[in-house]
Amino acid sequence: MSNLWQTILVTMRIKTDYEDADVIIIPEQHLWHKNITSIPTMVDDNKKIIDNLYSIISNSRNPVVILDGDIFHRGTPRLSDALPLIDYLHTLNSLCDGRVYSVVGNHEFTYHKDNIFWIFADVKSEYVENRIGKPKVLTSYLTATDELQIGSVLYCLGHYDMDFYDEIDTNSIDDVILITHSCFGNQELFDNLKVKDPHLNTDVMKVNNIDRLGALPLTNKLKYIYVGHLHTCIGTFRVQERYNSHDYDCILTYLGSLGRTSHAEYTDFNERKIPIHKIRNGKLIEVVNEIIELPSREHAVDDINVALSKEKYEEQKIVHELRSVKLQNVDLISNVREVLSGVSTPGMSDNGLLKLFDSALIGSVPDEIVEVLRRDYNENY
């Protein structure tokens, strides 16, 4: 692995022929062709987010887009469903005159079947090819590479689960920026992420001894780290470490996710930052953050469906437990009652219990157990 990654770091770098650009870093989006049951507005909401991104890009100078992986939630087998997603990549490519790059996230690796990413991504990464093979690209709308150099600024694209860096060539480089889909950080960092208000203008926080330093480029020129993959982790911290003869003093930002794939990801905090690096004459002169406001839970989440899904889950869990009761056990009634004692949970209403007994259990578990349950229910409820 180390020898492979050494080769990647030397050979898989794209050096641009331009030195003026606005580099726009887009957090993961999880675009899909259909809604999730508990989020009936997901597709429409994503369209509005895309329109906001188009506006940011259109108002930028020589825009360069770097996507932080998980562009698409899963595969899209039907062409008619895939067309709007393809149009998104095509439009990005047009707005940026082809300057679109991407980290490869876990959803690209895991849900590679029918994932249009692999039809339109020009892969220039031995690490990625080693995991997924060489994709057959229809046409190139974006490039998945390991390093992008613009003037004296070097962007390292940390693909999912890539956790080994060696020394990198920083000759002629002033600033190194890591954009990664691998999560790292110690418990102190995560605790603070979860308990503090993640306001986008929060003071930078010093964090010592962060874990998984193997996922960091070994250079004291590292200035910014942008982390994806953890959907609800949002916050900015300062990292000051000495590790392997390198002095780190950089800003670590957890971007969160633009696309929320579960009702549980809808919190009271709906702001997401889109970092923009302004590079002029090959030098990084300014970092600004555009803000995108995501839809609220009240707008997007169908709480009735959420409650029904929880109830269905409880039913399935109970049926599964009841199927495991051994009929030959001489103390069958006690065993069944032990299972039943866990039935009355916050996620299971009395109506749900009745439905469980009247329908879910019939044909699912032996009749003897059903009769015990009915008798026990009548006696105790």
Side-chain angles (χ1 to χ4, degrees):
M1 181 64 181
S2 60
N3 290 334
L4 171 64
W5 191 238
Q6 285 178 329
T7 303
I8 291 173
L9 291 173
V10 171
T11 62
M12 297 300 178
R13 175 183 296 188
I14 295 175
K15 187 174 182 179
T16 69
D17 57 3
Y18 51 86
E19 294 195 334
D20 282 15
D22 286 352
V23 179
I24 303 160
I25 300 168
I26 299 180
E28 58 196 276
Q29 294 175 267
H30 287 275
L31 303 174
W32 212 19
H33 62 284
K34 60 183 180 180
N35 296 315
I36 293 173
T37 303
S38 60
I39 314 173
T41 65
M42 180 175 169
V43 171
D44 288 339
D45 290 343
N46 281 334
K47 288 178 182 176
K48 294 174 184 176
I49 293 171
I50 286 173
D51 287 339
N52 285 331
L53 294 173
Y54 288 162
S55 177
I56 292 171
I57 295 168
S58 298
N59 291 314
S60 299
R61 177 175 172 180
N62 298 331
V64 174
V65 161
I66 301 179
L67 300 148
D68 195 11
D70 285 6
I71 305 170
F72 305 110
H73 186 50
R74 296 187 182 181
T76 308
R78 294 199 311 176
L79 179 60
S80 58
D81 293 328
L83 286 175
L85 306 180
I86 296 171
D87 181 68
Y88 170 61
L89 293 181
H90 172 76
T91 304
L92 275 186
N93 183 275
S94 298
L95 289 173
C96 298
D97 197 21
R99 299 183 294 266
V100 182
Y101 303 89
S102 183
V103 174
V104 180
N106 58 302
H107 275 243
E108 277 81 41
F109 283 130
T110 304
Y111 303 106
H112 61 273
K113 183 179 180 182
D114 299 322
N115 192 324
I116 62 173
F117 178 90
W118 299 111
I119 303 174
F120 297 102
D122 182 14
V123 175
K124 297 184 182 299
S125 164
E126 290 185 13
Y127 173 80
V128 173
E129 287 186 16
N130 187 55
R131 290 195 58 165
I132 203 73
K134 183 70 174 176
K136 297 179 180 179
V137 179
L138 182 63
T139 187
S140 177
Y141 284 151
L142 72 164
T143 302
T145 190
D146 301 308
E147 297 177 356
L148 174 68
Q149 181 179 345
I150 305 174
S152 66
V153 185
L154 180 66
Y155 290 90
C156 295
L157 280 63
H159 309 299
Y160 176 68
D161 235 11
M162 199 291 294
D163 59 0
F164 183 88
Y165 272 101
D166 210 327
E167 294 278 356
I168 63 176
D169 180 9
T170 57
N171 291 327
S172 75
I173 298 297
D174 293 331
D175 301 302
V176 175
I177 292 97
L178 173 66
I179 305 169
T180 180
H181 204 86
S182 292
C183 57
F184 51 84
N186 63 13
Q187 192 61 49
E188 177 191 357
L189 184 148
F190 284 106
D191 287 347
N192 279 283
L193 275 172
K194 291 175 181 177
V195 302
K196 70 196 294 290
D197 261 350
H199 293 300
L200 297 179
N201 295 321
T202 186
D203 291 336
V204 174
M205 177 182 176
K206 180 178 177 179
V207 179
N208 293 313
N209 302 318
I210 65 172
D211 299 328
R212 293 194 67 178
L213 277 167
L216 294 180
L218 295 181
T219 171
N220 56 12
K221 295 181 179 180
L222 183 65
K223 301 297 176 60
Y224 294 93
I225 306 170
Y226 296 99
V227 181
H229 188 51
L230 301 176
H231 291 198
T232 58
C233 284
I234 303 165
T236 299
F237 304 88
R238 185 163 194 159
V239 177
Q240 291 182 313
E241 300 286 344
R242 180 163 181 81
Y243 174 76
N244 200 12
S245 302
H246 293 85
D247 291 313
Y248 287 99
D249 188 354
C250 55
I251 304 302
L252 167 66
T253 297
Y254 279 81
L255 294 171
S257 176
L258 290 177
R260 293 170 289 185
T261 60
S262 163
H263 67 89
E265 294 178 16
Y266 283 78
T267 66
D268 293 334
F269 188 72
N270 298 316
E271 293 180 350
R272 297 294 184 272
K273 68 168 63 173
I274 308 296
I276 301 175
H277 291 193
K278 295 184 179 295
I279 300 174
R280 302 292 183 264
N281 297 318
K283 303 289 186 181
L284 178 61
I285 64 168
E286 186 181 10
V287 176
V288 299
N289 294 296
E290 290 284 347
I291 304 302
I292 287 184
E293 183 80 21
L294 301 185
S296 66
R297 182 184 181 91
E298 290 74 19
H299 162 81
V301 176
D302 184 341
D303 283 315
I304 294 176
N305 265 326
V306 171
L308 290 174
S309 296
K310 287 181 179 178
E311 191 166 282
K312 184 176 180 181
Y313 170 78
E314 293 292 340
E315 290 177 8
Q316 291 172 340
K317 182 173 71 173
I318 294 164
V319 169
H320 176 75
E321 291 174 351
L322 291 172
R323 284 175 177 168
S324 67
V325 174
K326 298 183 184 300
L327 284 177
Q328 63 269 29
N329 193 312
V330 294
D331 195 14
L332 173 62
I333 293 179
S334 294
N335 281 324
V336 172
R337 283 179 177 165
E338 184 178 347
V339 172
L340 186 65
S341 67
V343 168
S344 220
T345 66
M348 177 64 67
S349 64
D350 284 348
N351 184 57
L353 280 171
L354 291 172
K355 185 171 70 170
L356 181 68
F357 296 142
D358 289 340
S359 60
L361 291 179
I362 296 174
S364 298
V365 298
D367 291 341
E368 296 95 322
I369 295 179
V370 175
E371 289 305 314
V372 172
L373 282 168
R374 289 186 188 283
R375 185 169 61 251
D376 203 66
Y377 179 81
N378 290 330
E379 292 173 359
N380 294 287
Y381 292 87

